[in-house]
Amino acid sequence: MECSASTDTLSLSLRAWPEYNVNASSLSSIIPRISQQRGHIRNITEEGLLEEIKAAETDDHTANVGEPQEGVTRVDHTPSRMDEVLRARQEIVKQIEAASHEAYRALDFISLLLSKDTPRTAEISLSQGTQLLVPLGSLGADKIPAPQLPLEGQRDQDLISRGWKLQGLENTAESLLRSADRLEKEVESECKYWTQILAVRDKGWSVCRLPRERHTLGVRFGFGEAAAGFKERGLAALRRGEDGGITLDQGIVSSQIKTVRVRMRRSNAITGTSTAPEQPKPEDSASIENLILQARNSVYEEELFYELSREARQLANQGVRTVDDTIVLSLGDTTQILIDLIPVGEATSTNSEQSQPLCDTSDDDVAQGIALALRILLSYAHRLNLKRRSQLPPPIDRKRPIPPHFILHPILVHLLHQQALRALTSLLESLVAPAVAAGLHASYSLSTYTNCTSPVKPPTAIATQMTWKTAVSTPADTVVDRFKDRLESIAAIHFPGNQKLTLEVYTALYLPLLGTEYIITTKPNQSTAPPTQPNTEGTNDKTQPQPLLPPMVRFNSLNETTLYLAWTLSRSIVEEIRLFTPPPPPVTESATPTSLPGEVGWEPLGDQRGMTTELQKSFPQRAHIRRMKVEVVPDKLTLRWGETNGKGGGKVYVWEGALVGGEGQKETLVGVVRGAGEFPATSVSARQEEMSSSPAR
């Protein structure tokens, strides 16, 4: 018995685990696959993708209607993009092959036709297959004469040819005439264009090519030292119109002409407005020269307002602010200066808050002067930029932000200085007038703008030639420099008691001075000279010198200056009373003596003699002390005196006879002091007040 055994074999496929390809999901690999399957990405739209999704869902639904058969695989017969490309390539190759065959057949035909006359030459270009099938010289060609036309046909042909020639000549003549007319108009337009170009150049304007359009001429009417944005706007194209005239093309910049307007406002009423520039006549407004001039002025005015707006941000601490495109300079509580940029010809601003009715024209000159000063200062700033650019730069030049020009600073300095001078004049008048009304010697004299009144010396011829190399200032530069410098005014004051003061007023808006400063200097005189020998006898020496006032004091406000001057005037009146020795009254048998032996005159109270505003007089025989106090305020001078016997209480007398504008003034200060020094005191115009303490204190 045979046994057969069969062994079952098991086949195993051992493969490595597939590695994850990072690049398969990267954007750089997805985009080429998309382009290969669907073409360029620009052809893929959201609507197309949605349609494909719907079509796929419809196919799936149709396929799933019936029961799927086991073992049947669904095949997608939708052609892919690659198949379409391959089919298109095959079609193109077929077309190329067909064209190549046609070309070779044509070449064989020509070569076989020429083989009858030049077999050697034809044999070179004839294909091998044609040579095997067709012998050389088997194809030939002969020239057959054309059939003769009858006479009528020839006559018709001649007429037709002659008509075509005549029509061609007429068309040519008309074309030449049209070309001549067009050339004549073009010559006239060119002549008109270049005539206006030459007229613009003869007026002094710079004509050049545009940087970005080399074939177009332009005119440069701006300022070379202006800001970057306005320097570029200073060049406009001169384009030729249809009639040959020049049109000024400023690009996207508005052609509306604008100007800077200055207005004065007092108590919410406009009291002055600067004059707008003159408008050209209607017949001259369209000329190219006027258009260029208006464009130049408009660019200059816009740059001016731009620089003023930049500078206004730095002057916020001086009351300068910007409200709705209007720069407001506040001078006190009721006075303001308004600066804005408006179109030429607009009478009032469109801003309802700033537009106020024009009540009067009292400040028109001030507003016009400020407007002219602003324009002059901007031109001077351009001049300084040119000087700075003409100098050699430092070895290492770092780019720094360009600070705004000082245009509002000098204007504000002058306005603040004028305001300070008006207030100072009113103050001195209110202090001097009561002293003069009281019979005292007091006066003042004011010299304004002492640093601006000296004459300007013209430079020599050599200095004029070397201005740009050695930075020698011209007279115009000197005048503007003085206008921009700090302002100085000096007042010489004479108070009673031979007291002389010098008050200097300085105004500036740059460090170390920001505003107005008052410097008061005391001049030495006989009464304040140092003593040669001290007085040790204790007598009433009227020539005994008093302590000196501070030689110089500085104040930054008018209120402090007012207090100091009022105190100085009071001290001067005390000195005047001390130096005054009234003659003793005559003593008769019938008269009662008013002063007793041993009485002394009025002496300053306290240890600091000459620094006090109080005096006293002793009556040793009667054990009485009489005190007097001098009080000075603007527009008023008051004397208060009374006596005390050490028991407290008493009466005080007040003399206000030196009140400016007062009524009933009957005595001068000399008479009042003489009456107050008698015992008992006598005064005509003094009033009596009750007091509970020392009258002078």
Side-chain angles (χ1 to χ4, degrees):
M1 183 177 61
E2 294 181 0
C3 296
S4 64
S6 63
T7 60
D8 297 334
T9 60
L10 178 63
S11 298
L12 297 177
S13 177
L14 300 179
R15 298 179 182 177
W17 191 264
E19 297 182 356
Y20 176 72
N21 189 4
V22 180
N23 297 326
S25 60
S26 62
L27 189 63
S28 59
S29 62
I30 291 175
I31 292 177
R33 291 205 303 270
I34 293 174
S35 301
Q36 184 179 7
Q37 294 176 3
R38 298 182 175 273
H40 199 275
I41 197 169
R42 73 166 65 96
N43 299 325
I44 302 175
T45 60
E46 183 178 0
E47 293 79 3
L49 295 176
L50 292 175
E51 291 179 358
E52 290 182 5
I53 293 173
K54 290 181 180 180
E57 293 177 353
T58 304
D59 295 341
D60 293 342
H61 178 71
T62 305
N64 294 330
V65 170
E67 281 288 334
Q69 298 179 3
E70 185 178 355
V72 177
T73 304
R74 183 172 178 268
V75 180
D76 187 7
H77 297 284
T78 303
S80 63
R81 180 65 179 175
M82 191 63 182
D83 296 338
E84 294 179 356
V85 172
L86 292 177
R87 282 199 299 270
R89 179 179 178 277
Q90 293 176 1
E91 188 69 23
I92 293 174
V93 170
K94 290 180 181 179
Q95 296 291 340
I96 294 175
E97 290 179 354
S100 177
H101 291 319
E102 294 294 336
Y104 282 125
R105 290 175 183 174
L107 180 61
D108 290 343
F109 176 77
I110 299 300
S111 300
L112 188 60
L113 184 62
L114 296 177
S115 62
K116 182 179 180 180
D117 299 324
T118 55
R120 290 294 181 185
T121 305
E123 187 179 1
I124 296 174
S125 58
L126 193 62
S127 63
Q128 295 294 332
T130 306
Q131 292 181 11
L132 294 177
L133 295 176
V134 182
L136 297 177
S138 60
L139 185 63
D142 292 328
K143 184 177 180 181
I144 301 174
Q148 296 293 330
L149 294 176
L151 295 177
E152 294 181 358
Q154 293 180 2
R155 193 179 301 112
D156 294 338
Q157 291 291 336
D158 294 340
L159 292 176
I160 292 173
S161 63
R162 189 179 301 124
W164 278 108
K165 291 180 181 178
L166 292 176
Q167 186 176 359
L169 292 175
E170 289 178 358
N171 293 336
T172 304
E174 291 178 358
S175 177
L176 291 176
L177 292 176
R178 287 195 300 268
S179 300
D181 294 338
R182 186 172 62 254
L183 181 61
E184 183 179 2
K185 293 180 180 179
E186 189 70 18
V187 169
E188 292 178 357
S189 299
E190 286 291 329
C191 291
K192 185 177 180 180
Y193 173 76
W194 288 107
T195 301
Q196 294 185 2
I197 290 290
L198 293 177
V200 170
R201 191 189 64 177
D202 294 340
K203 291 290 184 179
W205 301 103
S206 175
V207 179
C208 59
R209 294 180 181 271
L210 295 181
R212 299 180 181 178
E213 300 181 27
R214 303 299 298 175
H215 61 282
T216 306
L217 292 178
V219 57
R220 189 177 298 278
F221 53 81
F223 300 87
E225 304 304 325
F230 298 95
K231 183 177 180 180
E232 295 176 357
R233 289 178 52 186
L235 179 63
L238 296 175
R239 303 192 184 278
R240 195 187 72 176
E242 296 181 357
D243 59 345
I246 293 179
T247 58
L248 190 66
D249 184 9
Q250 301 184 47
I252 61 175
V253 180
S254 174
S255 59
Q256 191 176 23
I257 306 171
K258 298 181 179 180
T259 183
V260 173
R261 178 180 59 177
V262 180
R263 292 177 293 169
M264 294 286 296
R265 184 166 65 184
R266 300 182 187 273
S267 301
N268 294 328
I270 302 298
T271 59
T273 306
S274 60
T275 305
E278 275 188 37
Q279 292 297 317
K281 297 179 181 179
E283 57 271 14
D284 299 335
S285 59
S287 63
I288 187 63
E289 292 84 2
N290 287 331
L291 292 177
I292 296 174
L293 186 61
Q294 292 174 6
R296 192 275 307 270
N297 294 342
S298 181
V299 171
Y300 186 83
E301 297 290 321
E302 292 181 27
E303 181 189 3
L304 174 60
F305 190 76
Y306 168 76
E307 295 293 343
L308 293 178
S309 301
R310 291 182 60 198
E311 190 179 5
R313 302 189 189 100
Q314 297 184 348
L315 295 174
N317 59 343
Q318 299 296 329
V320 181
R321 52 196 175 90
T322 303
V323 180
D324 296 336
D325 297 333
T326 301
I327 301 174
V328 182
L329 283 70
S330 299
L331 302 175
D333 298 333
T334 60
T335 304
Q336 293 177 336
I337 297 176
L338 310 178
I339 305 175
D340 54 359
L341 184 69
I342 61 170
V344 174
E346 183 178 340
T348 58
S349 176
T350 56
N351 189 355
S352 58
E353 294 182 2
Q354 298 297 338
S355 60
Q356 298 290 341
L358 187 63
C359 297
D360 55 56
T361 59
S362 58
D363 292 328
D364 280 354
D365 293 339
V366 178
Q368 184 65 17
I370 293 175
L372 292 177
L374 293 175
R375 295 177 174 91
I376 292 174
L377 290 173
L378 179 59
S379 298
Y380 184 70
H382 290 170
R383 188 179 182 90
L384 291 181
N385 289 341
L386 179 59
K387 283 186 177 181
R388 190 182 303 109
R389 192 165 56 87
S390 302
Q391 297 175 357
L392 292 176
I396 301 177
D397 188 10
R398 296 181 179 179
K399 291 185 177 181
R400 299 178 180 178
I402 302 176
H405 300 302
F406 276 15
I407 301 176
L408 278 179
H409 278 76
I411 301 296
L412 194 58
V413 166
H414 276 261
L415 294 175
L416 293 177
H417 195 72
Q418 290 179 4
Q419 189 178 10
L421 290 181
R422 287 193 295 267
L424 180 62
T425 303
S426 177
L427 170 62
L428 295 178
E429 188 66 28
S430 65
L431 294 177
V432 169
V436 174
L440 301 176
H441 175 70
S443 62
Y444 74 93
S445 61
L446 183 60
S447 301
T448 59
Y449 303 100
T450 55
N451 63 325
C452 300
T453 55
S454 58
V456 179
K457 296 181 180 180
T460 60
I462 298 178
T464 304
Q465 296 175 0
M466 300 295 291
T467 297
W468 300 112
K469 296 182 180 180
T470 59
V472 177
S473 297
T474 62
D477 296 339
T478 305
V479 171
V480 180
D481 284 336
R482 290 183 180 179
F483 182 79
K484 296 179 64 176
D485 199 4
R486 72 171 187 176
L487 299 180
E488 304 175 6
S489 296
I490 300 176
I493 307 172
H494 297 271
F495 280 160
N498 200 18
Q499 184 67 57
K500 298 180 181 179
L501 304 174
T502 301
L503 176 59
E504 301 176 4
V505 184
Y506 297 96
T507 305
L509 288 179
Y510 52 84
L511 294 176
L513 180 59
L514 293 175
T516 302
E517 184 181 28
Y518 304 88
I519 301 177
I520 302 177
T521 306
T522 304
K523 294 184 179 180
N525 49 48
Q526 249 184 354
S527 64
T528 59
T532 57
Q533 185 177 358
N535 183 13
T536 58
E537 298 180 0
T539 60
N540 183 19
D541 186 2
K542 299 298 181 180
T543 62
Q544 178 70 17
Q546 302 301 314
L548 292 173
L549 287 173
M552 180 184 295
V553 290
R554 296 173 180 266
F555 301 105
N556 292 326
S557 67
L558 187 63
N559 293 333
E560 297 176 353
T561 306
T562 301
L563 295 176
Y564 183 81
L565 290 178
W567 173 81
T568 304
L569 179 57
S570 302
R571 195 213 64 81
S572 301
I573 294 176
V574 169
E575 182 71 10
E576 181 77 9
I577 294 174
R578 187 188 71 84
L579 295 176
F580 172 70
T581 304
V587 179
T588 59
E589 296 179 357
S590 60
T592 303
T594 58
S595 60
L596 300 176
E599 292 181 3
V600 297
W602 293 99
E603 290 293 333
L605 184 64
D607 298 334
Q608 296 182 353
R609 301 178 64 184
M611 304 293 288
T612 181
T613 61
E614 300 180 7
L615 302 98
Q616 69 177 4
K617 183 176 182 180
S618 301
F619 297 90
Q621 299 297 331
R622 299 180 181 275
H624 280 272
I625 298 176
R626 187 166 294 169
R627 294 181 180 178
M628 178 181 294
K629 184 177 182 180
V630 181
E631 298 178 356
V632 177
V633 294
D635 296 328
K636 186 177 181 180
L637 189 152
T638 305
L639 292 182
R640 297 177 182 269
W641 72 89
E643 60 185 35
T644 177
N645 52 12
K647 298 180 180 180
K651 297 181 178 180
V652 63
Y653 296 90
V654 180
W655 178 74
E656 297 178 348
L659 179 63
V660 175
E663 298 179 358
Q665 180 177 344
K666 299 178 180 180
E667 294 180 289
T668 61
L669 186 138
V670 175
V672 173
V673 172
R674 182 184 291 114
E678 297 177 354
F679 193 91
T682 61
S683 178
V684 178
S685 57
R687 58 183 174 87
Q688 182 177 338
E689 292 181 356
E690 296 292 337
M691 75 169 186
S692 58
S693 60
S694 174
R697 293 185 179 275

